């Protein structure tokens, strides 16, 4: 859905200890993929724990437009009656992916090797984001794309009538690009090979295998080599979506910086391609216990017990960037409350997310009295220690859910309240954020514009 209606200003005020249980919603990456792979399987896939954020709801609508039957049975409980690989029909109208880069890029991938045409658009944020990174490899299969200048939405993609398999090295660390190529490879004959120099989240690989595709992964000198055999018959699955580590990052970070806090965040995915933030926080001195480690829905999960901690700034290893790419905004908030400097390198990809996240965080942190240094590929935050962040500013969120939630977390521990100009995009990934945070004792309120 394009647009978010009226902006919703929100203010976070210094709060007492956060306590209790924070049940964060299902993983966004896995939720998109469950709907898409369900639509490509023959028969009925059942999904529990689906994230009902706007991004995923937009993907559900898109799958309906391509001919799948997608039904909600109850909270988080959905079924998808799929049409099979190569079975998509041509949508009758424009596909609106709202705020979701993952949605649009994965969906472009899975239609690119079918003889149909679709036009994609999104909200003001998504219409600024580069699509050439997916349409370039999709052209190798034989698909053709026409978009606005700079490869931007709205864009029309004409799927290849006679697709050929490809061998493609992903030039940027991006699971969206990798996944778009793999999904396109599903309907190409023969083997499609995707090489990534740096490993990124591996949900597509895990789930493609789970749905019955033949997929091999080899580690070689060029990086991770993923070999997919095309034109499988995907078998419907029952998918239990684990809780999202990227959403858990907000209550976890808040509990670390709000004095006296002690919370439990159950069932959070600890997939090693997603857990970089948690490794980093522990290195900074965070008191996080990873309790009851187990497997759920094919992913390693744990219950996180998090207590307020004295933290120190660190140099975040550059090679960890892909495993925590969505968590740098909130890490930069935590870093503001640490003693010493936190250096985040290799973070260039943050500039092409829902907003330019390096710029958005740097400007907002500065407005809140935190000293920040920024380069094209680097963000450095000079910590002010517990209780040391002045706050007292209004931060711009640029239609970016994670920027909004990060500054609201900051306001829970800063000296003066922090306002975000628009918290409405939070609904794209974490629709229960306000209720969940209030349940822990956080003072976050909607404010008159
Ligand atoms: C995602 C991949 C990441 C991430 C996004 C979700 C995915 O994007 O930022 O929130 O589900 O594949 P990139 O692949 O562009 O890094």
């Amino acid at each position: 859905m394009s647009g978010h209606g009226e902006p919703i200003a929100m203010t976070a005020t210094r709060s007492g200890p956060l306590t209790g249980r924070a049940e964060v919603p299902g993983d966004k990456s896995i939720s998109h993929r469950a709907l898409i792979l369900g639509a490509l399987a023959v028969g009925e896939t059942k999904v529990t724990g689906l994230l009902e954020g706007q991004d995923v709801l937009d993907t559900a609508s898109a799958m309906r437009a391509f001919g799948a039957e997608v039904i909600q049975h109850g909270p988080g409980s959905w079924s998808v009656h799929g049409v099979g690989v190569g079975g998509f029909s041509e949508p009758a109208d424009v596909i609106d992916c709202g705020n979701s880069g993952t949605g649009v890029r994965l969906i472009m991938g899975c239609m690119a090797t079918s003889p149909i045409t679709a036009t994609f658009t999104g909200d003001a944020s998504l219409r600024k984001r580069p699509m050439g990174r997916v349409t370039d490899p999709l052209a190798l299969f034989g698909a053709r794309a026409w978009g606005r200048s700079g490869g931007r939405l709205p864009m029309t993609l004409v799927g290849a009538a006679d697709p050929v398999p490809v061998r493609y090295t992903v030039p940027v660390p991006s699971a969206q690009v990798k996944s778009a190529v793999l999904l396109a490879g599903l309907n190409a004959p023969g083997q499609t090979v995707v090489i990534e120099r740096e490993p990124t989240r591996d949900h597509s690989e895990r789930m493609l295998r789970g749905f019955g595709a033949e997929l091999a992964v080899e580690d070689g000198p060029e990086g991770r080599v993923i070999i997919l055999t095309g034109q499988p018959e995907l078998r419907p699955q029952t998918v239990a979506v684990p809780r999202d580590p990227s959403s858990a990052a907000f209550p976890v970070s808040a509990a670390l910086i709000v004095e006296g806090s002690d919370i439990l965040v159950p069932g959070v995915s600890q997939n090693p391609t997603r857990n970089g933030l948690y490794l980093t926080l522990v290195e900074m001195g965070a008191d996080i216990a990873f309790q009851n480690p187990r497997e759920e829905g094919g992913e390693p999960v744990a219950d996180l017990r998090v207590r307020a901690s004295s933290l120190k700034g660190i140099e975040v290893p550059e090679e960890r960037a892909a495993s925590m790419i969505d968590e740098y905004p909130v890490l930069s908030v935590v870093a503001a409350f640490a003693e010493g400097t936190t250096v985040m390198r290799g973070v260039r990809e943050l500039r092409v997310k829902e907003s330019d996240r390096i710029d958005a965080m740097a400007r907002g942190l500065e407005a809140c009295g935190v000293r920040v240094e920024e380069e094209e590929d680097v963000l450095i935050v000079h910590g002010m220690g517990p209780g040391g962040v002045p706050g007292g500013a209004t931060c711009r969120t640029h239609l970016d859910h994670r920027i909004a939630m990060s500054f609201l977390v900051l306001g829970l521990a800063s000296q003066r309240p922090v306002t975000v100009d628009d918290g409405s995009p939070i609904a794209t990934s974490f629709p229960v954020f306000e209720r969940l945070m209030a349940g822990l004792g956080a003072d976050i309120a909607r404010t008159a514009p």
Side-chain angles (χ1 to χ4, degrees):
M1 235 175 49
S2 286
H4 300 270
E6 287 300 301
I8 303 173
M10 294 182 189
T11 299
T13 304
R14 192 164 192 162
S15 298
L18 304 181
T19 54
R21 206 176 146 88
E23 295 192 350
V24 303
D27 189 85
K28 181 152 72 71
S29 295
I30 296 176
S31 295
H32 282 294
R33 288 161 173 80
L35 295 176
I36 292 171
L37 291 175
L40 293 170
V42 181
E44 192 175 77
T45 286
K46 294 197 165 80
V47 190
T48 55
L50 189 87
L51 166 65
E52 287 162 351
Q54 192 57 47
D55 279 9
V56 176
L57 299 180
D58 289 337
T59 289
S61 303
M63 290 302 100
R64 288 190 191 107
F66 283 103
E69 197 179 286
V70 185
I71 300 170
Q72 185 191 21
H73 300 279
S77 170
W78 290 64
S79 65
V80 185
H81 202 97
V83 293
V85 169
F88 273 2
S89 41
E90 187 164 276
D93 203 348
V94 173
I95 302 293
D96 188 342
C97 291
N99 193 246
S100 182
T102 306
V104 72
R105 292 181 176 134
L106 267 53
I107 296 167
M108 281 184 173
C110 67
M111 66 137 288
T113 45
S114 291
I116 54 175
T117 295
T119 299
F120 296 88
T121 192
D123 71 2
S125 154
L126 192 58
R127 280 184 272 116
K128 284 188 199 149
R129 299 179 65 184
M131 295 299 142
R133 53 175 55 201
V134 286
T135 54
D136 288 351
L138 297 182
L140 304 175
F141 288 97
R144 286 167 299 146
W146 284 272
R148 288 193 305 134
S149 61
R152 292 183 158 79
L153 302 180
M155 177 174 274
T156 295
L157 191 63
V158 179
D162 291 306
V164 290
V166 310
R167 182 181 175 89
Y168 188 69
T169 301
V170 185
V172 285
S174 168
Q176 293 175 359
V177 176
K178 167 179 70 176
S179 303
V181 178
L182 288 173
L183 290 169
L186 279 177
N187 200 34
Q191 289 189 328
T192 285
V193 180
V194 186
I195 300 151
E196 52 177 8
R197 295 195 189 95
E198 300 161 58
T200 62
R201 65 191 68 197
D202 63 356
H203 308 301
S204 296
E205 296 92 304
R206 286 174 186 250
M207 293 178 75
L208 277 164
R209 275 208 191 108
F211 276 79
E214 201 181 311
L215 182 141
V217 180
E218 292 163 9
D219 284 312
E222 322 155 87
R224 262 182 103 236
V225 181
I226 306 156
I227 305 154
L228 173 76
T229 304
Q231 300 182 324
E233 179 168 311
L234 297 185
R235 293 188 296 269
Q237 297 299 301
T238 299
V239 182
V241 181
R243 298 184 195 277
D244 196 324
S246 301
S247 296
F250 298 102
V252 166
S253 299
L256 290 174
I257 61 174
V258 173
E259 211 182 313
S261 298
D262 184 350
I263 67 166
L264 187 77
V265 192
V268 180
S269 166
Q270 290 298 303
N271 178 316
T273 62
R274 294 286 299 280
N275 70 352
L277 173 74
Y278 298 94
L279 302 177
T280 303
L281 291 173
V282 168
E283 283 172 18
M284 292 172 80
D287 182 349
I288 305 179
F290 298 85
Q291 300 173 339
N292 195 14
R294 58 198 182 275
E295 183 125 325
E296 273 178 17
E299 296 271 328
V301 304
D303 304 330
L304 311 188
R305 169 120 189 237
V306 187
R307 296 179 179 90
S309 307
S310 344
L311 302 163
K312 58 177 197 312
I314 63 162
E315 176 111 13
V316 184
E318 195 169 337
E319 62 279 6
R320 199 177 279 167
S323 69
M324 54 182 291
I325 196 66
D326 290 337
E327 283 67 75
Y328 283 101
V330 78
L331 175 65
S332 68
V333 165
V334 173
F337 292 89
E339 301 284 357
T341 301
T342 297
V343 182
M344 297 163 257
R345 294 187 199 281
V347 294
R348 179 181 285 113
E349 276 293 299
L350 293 180
R351 296 203 180 272
V352 290
K353 297 294 178 187
E354 285 82 332
S355 68
D356 176 340
R357 286 181 171 161
I358 296 181
D359 190 64
M361 289 313 298
R363 299 294 79 76
L365 285 168
E366 278 166 359
C368 290
V370 181
R371 198 156 69 80
V372 176
E373 291 169 67
E374 172 194 347
E375 287 167 31
E376 180 57 23
D377 200 22
V378 186
L379 179 62
I380 299 171
V381 176
H382 296 278
M384 308 187 86
V389 176
T394 295
C395 302
R396 292 186 62 196
T397 63
H398 304 276
L399 285 180
D400 189 328
H401 53 133
R402 298 199 204 282
I403 300 299
M405 289 186 276
S406 296
F407 284 121
L408 291 171
V409 167
L410 185 134
L412 298 177
S414 57
Q415 292 157 8
R416 291 196 301 278
V418 170
T419 297
V420 295
D421 64 341
D422 185 10
S424 66
I426 293 171
T428 62
S429 70
F430 200 159
V432 297
F433 176 77
E434 289 166 271
R435 186 154 33 97
L436 181 145
M437 294 303 289
L440 300 175
D443 182 350
I444 297 176
R446 295 189 178 201
T447 35

